[in-house]
Amino acid sequence: MTCRRVLLLSLFILLIPALATATPLADKVIEHRLANGLRLLLVERHDTPTVAAYITIGVGSVHETSETRGVAHLLEHMLFKGTTTLGTTDYAAERPLLREIEQTGSELDQLRLQPDPDPARVATLEARLKELQERHQPYLVKDVYSQLYSENGAVGFNAFTSKDLTTYLVSLPANKLELWALLEAERMKDAVLREFYTEREVIREERRRSYETDPGGLLYETLLATAFTVHPYRNPIIGWHSDIANLSLAETRDFLQRYYAPVNTTIALVGDFRAADAIALVERYFGGIAPGEPVPAVAAVEPEQRGEKRVTVSFDAEPRLAIAFHKPTLPTKDDYVFDLIDQILGQGRTSRLYKRLVEEEQLATSVAVYGAPGSRYPNLFVIEAIPRHPHTPAEVEAAILAELDRLRNTLVSPAELAKARNRLLTDNLRALRSNAGLARMLTTYQVLTGDWRYLVSYEARISELTAEDIRKTAQTWFTPQNRTVVVVTRDHGREE
């Protein structure tokens, strides 16, 4: 038995009690499909009286058109506003006011798009919209979901939108699972998009804070917009500024009703319940919801990059840079190899880039390696670094490229390969130990790959990879013509 197999066997033994290995996981997951298309994944764990509940919808910013960019992120915000029975003091009285707010807001949006809008008419509509919103305030019950969950012992109530999917999550006492089903089923079938124009302004401010005035956000956004020419991965999840300003309530509602529906949804429940009872509960609350429309696949295919792309951005901040390479996505063999490359180059203080750039040569104050911006379609392998004064981005870039050439030309040692493999598997297994971690991974891989069993085969696929596989993958993808470089600096001028 090789040293690597001994290490993996030891890891397996340590984590068996937490159901954190692929083999028992395959036996523990119970699948159920509702007639409306909703997929339910269940794992019973009776060690604590809690349940992690994840609802993942296979729609994200990658599915938006030029008319709806930013809508998935906006809907993440809007779906906390309640339903016809939650978030309102009197929906019957509120409803006509909501219609009037939408009519006024829509007219104002259309007027602003005209080449030479009448300032007096704009001012009148703005005043009218403000007055209607003030009249609406008494009908609002703020943070209704958070309050209900908190009062019933739940924690971690949140949501996130990515390029590929949207997830709503919470962990709650096992005896409150029916409350979760009631709240989330009603939110799926009966959401009311309150405070639309107010929330749209909140998101515009979020964009200014996170991208337009933040050097890290600006670097990342510019990198994606430069590396991708055709594919919608080039667009920010939050949308461009003009996108947010012009999203209409009608477009947002249409996107919601089409896609945030059972046919695109996977639910994972992990924790203290009987599977038969949980299935009956989900059937009772979610089974009557209309299926919705399947999210269409993205037809755009990013053309092969045939030369280096390089952009310099002027910004009043310390210099920083990002280097990206196009790469295939899961479940291709090269995607598994990139998981190992990620460990070797950039994860931990003993990784190659950290040791060289930060510790030994002190060229940079930090270095980060990651995949971006999504996983459903071919994506990017990214290296970011912040130079340490007085070193320049050019010096840091040269050192990074030298390490990539080393990976292209020299085989990784058996010890370094084993270390990267075992650290990668340990990190993945650690994530599976918690109910929330397992629920998240089950829904994520079900949505992205069409089968949660990606988790089952992962350890075996990683264990099969060799040093030669790493070298071949590096030679294939770490090429000048496949490279995009973005530098944020105070000066547009060429570095000496």
Side-chain angles (χ1 to χ4, degrees):
M1 183 177 289
T2 66
C3 177
R4 174 175 63 82
R5 292 186 180 275
V6 170
L7 287 169
L8 288 174
L9 180 59
S10 300
L11 184 61
F12 177 88
I13 293 170
L14 285 170
L15 295 175
I16 280 177
L19 182 64
T21 59
T23 302
L25 180 61
D27 298 331
K28 295 281 186 173
V29 177
I30 297 170
E31 298 182 77
H32 181 74
R33 193 75 180 267
L34 278 62
N36 59 14
L38 188 148
R39 186 181 299 274
L40 179 61
L41 304 175
L42 305 162
V43 178
E44 293 186 32
R45 285 179 170 175
H46 302 290
D47 48 341
T48 60
T50 60
V51 178
Y54 273 61
I55 300 175
T56 296
I57 306 145
V59 60
S61 65
V62 75
H63 302 106
E64 298 162 353
T65 66
S66 58
E67 289 78 29
T68 59
R69 282 192 300 255
V71 70
H73 176 260
L74 175 58
L75 275 170
E76 177 198 320
H77 286 237
M78 296 304 300
L79 289 180
F80 285 91
K81 301 295 183 179
T83 65
T84 57
T85 59
L86 294 171
T88 181
T89 59
D90 184 349
Y91 184 66
E94 178 193 24
R95 188 175 182 180
L97 186 54
L98 287 172
R99 290 199 188 107
E100 196 170 356
I101 288 171
E102 180 174 359
Q103 181 180 356
T104 303
S106 178
E107 184 179 352
L108 179 58
D109 284 346
Q110 291 300 314
L111 181 62
R112 285 169 171 163
L113 286 174
Q114 294 179 9
D116 188 20
D118 178 5
R121 182 59 179 161
V122 169
T124 298
L125 288 173
E126 287 177 341
R128 175 62 174 161
L129 182 60
K130 181 180 179 181
E131 184 264 334
L132 290 170
Q133 289 171 328
E134 289 173 351
R135 284 172 50 194
H136 184 228
Q137 288 299 309
Y139 295 104
L140 296 175
V141 180
K142 298 281 191 178
D143 302 319
V144 61
Y145 288 104
S146 296
Q147 289 180 18
L148 282 170
Y149 276 128
S150 178
E151 289 168 0
N152 286 275
V155 296
F157 175 57
N158 211 336
F160 60 86
T161 304
S162 73
K163 298 287 188 182
D164 302 321
L165 51 81
T166 300
T167 294
Y168 291 84
L169 59 131
V170 68
S171 294
L172 67 165
N175 62 359
K176 299 298 182 180
L177 190 57
E178 186 164 6
L179 172 68
W180 163 85
L182 170 66
L183 294 178
E184 298 303 331
E186 185 171 339
R187 174 155 60 169
M188 179 176 285
K189 68 183 178 183
D190 202 21
V192 175
L193 305 183
R194 297 180 173 90
E195 297 184 289
F196 177 83
Y197 298 99
T198 302
E199 202 63 35
R200 201 173 63 175
E201 290 305 307
V202 168
I203 293 173
R204 291 177 70 184
E205 178 57 34
E206 179 185 344
R207 174 175 171 78
R208 283 188 285 268
R209 184 178 64 253
S210 299
Y211 292 93
E212 296 170 8
T213 61
D214 178 77
L218 181 62
L219 176 73
Y220 181 73
E221 184 173 85
T222 305
L223 180 72
L224 298 188
T226 304
F228 291 99
T229 303
V230 172
H231 199 273
Y233 272 172
R234 75 186 311 273
N235 299 312
I237 294 171
I238 199 170
W240 302 102
H241 192 81
S242 59
D243 295 332
I244 303 167
N246 292 293
L247 276 173
S248 75
L249 183 47
E251 291 167 337
T252 304
R253 186 186 297 111
D254 179 69
F255 198 84
L256 169 68
Q257 293 173 347
R258 283 175 181 269
Y259 302 133
Y260 289 65
V263 72
N264 301 311
T265 299
T266 296
I267 294 176
L269 300 176
V270 180
D272 188 20
F273 54 80
R274 289 181 64 251
D277 294 340
I279 290 172
L281 187 69
V282 172
E283 283 278 7
R284 183 161 70 252
Y285 283 97
F286 290 86
I289 303 175
E293 296 181 20
V295 179
V298 174
V301 177
E302 183 67 20
E304 180 182 357
Q305 186 170 317
R306 297 185 178 276
E308 183 188 74
K309 298 179 181 180
R310 182 175 290 269
V311 173
T312 301
V313 179
S314 180
F315 193 79
D316 188 18
E318 291 301 315
R320 60 186 64 209
L321 76 154
I323 305 172
F325 298 86
H326 289 277
K327 60 174 280 294
T329 191
L330 52 81
T332 63
K333 180 179 179 179
D334 275 353
D335 186 69
Y336 289 97
V337 176
F338 268 106
D339 285 353
L340 286 175
I341 292 175
D342 174 83
Q343 290 288 330
I344 292 166
L345 287 179
Q347 301 307 317
R349 300 176 69 88
T350 60
S351 62
R352 290 186 176 187
L353 288 175
Y354 187 90
K355 285 175 63 178
R356 177 169 181 172
L357 271 66
V358 179
E359 289 190 346
E360 295 174 358
E361 299 182 17
Q362 297 188 5
L363 295 172
T365 59
S366 67
V367 60
V369 177
Y370 56 90
S375 298
R376 192 186 291 262
Y377 300 99
N379 48 36
L380 301 173
F381 182 82
V382 182
I383 302 169
E384 277 192 33
I386 299 177
R388 182 189 298 273
H389 184 77
H391 297 289
T392 65
E395 291 177 89
V396 174
E397 180 183 348
I400 291 171
L401 296 182
E403 284 300 323
L404 297 184
D405 284 341
R406 178 184 167 200
L407 203 64
R408 285 165 46 87
N409 298 319
T410 305
L411 289 175
V412 173
S413 71
E416 190 174 19
L417 175 58
K419 180 180 178 181
R421 180 186 292 121
N422 292 327
R423 187 167 51 193
L424 177 63
L425 294 176
T426 300
D427 289 345
N428 284 349
L429 294 174
R430 187 179 294 114
L432 294 175
R433 295 179 67 179
S434 72
N435 290 348
L438 177 55
R440 176 171 181 167
M441 294 181 79
L442 285 171
T443 60
T444 297
Y445 288 115
Q446 179 65 47
V447 167
L448 291 181
T449 71
D451 191 349
W452 60 267
R453 291 173 182 82
Y454 176 90
L455 292 172
V456 174
S457 61
Y458 187 81
E459 179 180 328
R461 296 296 302 273
I462 291 295
S463 299
E464 293 168 354
L465 299 176
T466 66
E468 183 59 33
D469 291 327
I470 292 173
R471 181 164 65 178
K472 287 181 179 178
T473 297
Q475 290 173 344
T476 300
W477 301 104
F478 291 152
T479 63
Q481 62 267 28
N482 191 40
R483 186 166 66 220
T484 299
V485 181
V486 175
V487 177
V488 172
T489 181
R490 284 195 172 95
D491 183 9
H492 266 308
R494 186 170 61 88
E495 293 175 358
E496 296 300 330

